[in-house]
Amino acid sequence: MSIDSMFTHKMWDDDELSKMVDGGIPYPMLSDAGGKVGTVYGVYDEDNGVEARGRFIIDPDGVVQGYEVLTPPVGRNVNETIRQVQAFQLVRETKGAEATPSGWRPGKATLKPGIDLVGKVWQAWKTDQAFD
Amino acid sequence: MSEEAAVGCARPTGGPVGEDPISTEKDEYKPKTEAHAMIKIGKKAPDFTAPGYHKGEFTNIKLSDYLGKWVLLCFYPGDFTFV
């Protein structure tokens, strides 16, 4: 979503993005002329009339599970976004019985919060697991 | 005379130059802009509708139509910006 019109979105997809992604962008490119939606989400920069690089993870109940906002010159890390979605999905599937510690990615051990784990995380989880 | 514009990742904007345009309205009639807090994690994402472009067609999207699915909502400064 950006403040550009849907016409500009089409031109950008036709003329540039479809040369990077086969078949063009597969998801809807939304137009927020005037920044009304961006204002509600706290990412609209009134001084410059544009929206920051805001990224919101919204779960199937419509609840915001996480967000990240960057200034324009720094791009996002798509792998990290996907990792976070996978982590939120795991937590949801286990109804909160499992939690994903720092550095978790699919295949790595989760933690099972409970009274037995209090003060014992140092046994269940090692610092090098925070890194890839 | 025109100056060469710097090309960066922020969308270039202009604006009025010099003195503020004379307003015929008194200050008290100016619409008040409400301060918006950043939305909160664990709370509902504000619903919205927005026109858009999707795979060759113009479309209208409503966030609440995606209930039951995971949604990534991404904002960016503008089409044709570089990053």
Side-chain angles (χ1 to χ4, degrees), chain A residues 1 4 8-9 12 26 29-31 39-41 48 51-56 58 60-62 64 67 75-76 89, chain B residues 11 13 36 39 42-46 51-54 58 61 68-80 83:
Chain A
M1 171 172 279
D4 300 284
T8 313
H9 286 335
W12 192 27
M29 302 169 73
L30 303 182
S31 173
T39 299
V40 172
Y41 278 79
N48 295 305
E51 285 162 351
R53 294 188 197 280
R55 179 230 65 190
F56 298 81
I58 302 170
D61 295 322
V64 177
Y67 59 76
R76 301 173 237 257
Q89 288 176 334
Chain B
R11 186 188 173 94
T13 52
H36 281 276
I39 66 168
K43 301 288 182 192
K44 286 263 183 183
Y53 173 72
H54 187 206
F58 293 124
I61 296 291
K69 294 183 173 183
W70 288 86
V71 172
L72 280 176
L73 175 62
C74 292
F75 295 86
Y76 60 97
D79 294 346
F80 297 103
V83 173

Side-chain angles (χ1 to χ4, degrees), chain A residues 96-99 110-117:
Chain A
E98 292 181 43
T110 58
L111 294 177
K112 296 175 181 64
I115 195 163
D116 295 338
L117 192 61

Side-chain angles (χ1 to χ4, degrees), chain A residues 36-110:
Chain A
K36 288 179 193 163
V37 178
T39 299
V40 172
Y41 278 79
V43 298
Y44 182 62
D45 174 355
E46 279 185 15
D47 292 340
N48 295 305
V50 298
E51 285 162 351
R53 294 188 197 280
R55 179 230 65 190
F56 298 81
I57 298 175
I58 302 170
D59 77 10
D61 295 322
V63 171
V64 177
Q65 291 294 343
Y67 59 76
E68 173 189 75
V69 183
L70 307 174
T71 52
V74 172
R76 301 173 237 257
N77 184 327
V78 178
N79 282 336
E80 169 59 6
T81 297
I82 292 170
R83 187 199 71 83
Q84 287 183 23
V85 171
Q86 289 169 326
F88 285 121
Q89 288 176 334
L90 182 145
V91 169
R92 185 179 173 93
E93 280 161 18
T94 64
K95 296 183 165 41
E98 292 181 43
T100 61
S102 176
W104 180 88
R105 53 182 160 69
K108 279 189 171 182
T110 58

Side-chain angles (χ1 to χ4, degrees), chain B residues 23-59:
Chain B
S23 172
T24 55
E25 292 182 11
K26 292 179 181 172
D27 283 353
E28 57 198 293
Y29 294 124
K30 279 185 182 169
K32 287 176 182 165
T33 51
E34 287 177 31
H36 281 276
M38 191 74 188
I39 66 168
K40 291 194 169 115
I41 52 170
K43 301 288 182 192
K44 286 263 183 183
D47 198 13
F48 63 83
T49 62
Y53 173 72
H54 187 206
K55 299 191 110 178
E57 290 181 358
F58 293 124
T59 177

Side-chain angles (χ1 to χ4, degrees), chain A residues 10-21:
Chain A
K10 180 181 186 302
M11 293 297 290
W12 192 27
D13 195 43
D14 285 354
D15 292 349
E16 188 169 39
L17 299 179
S18 59
K19 292 163 185 160
M20 303 178 188
V21 179

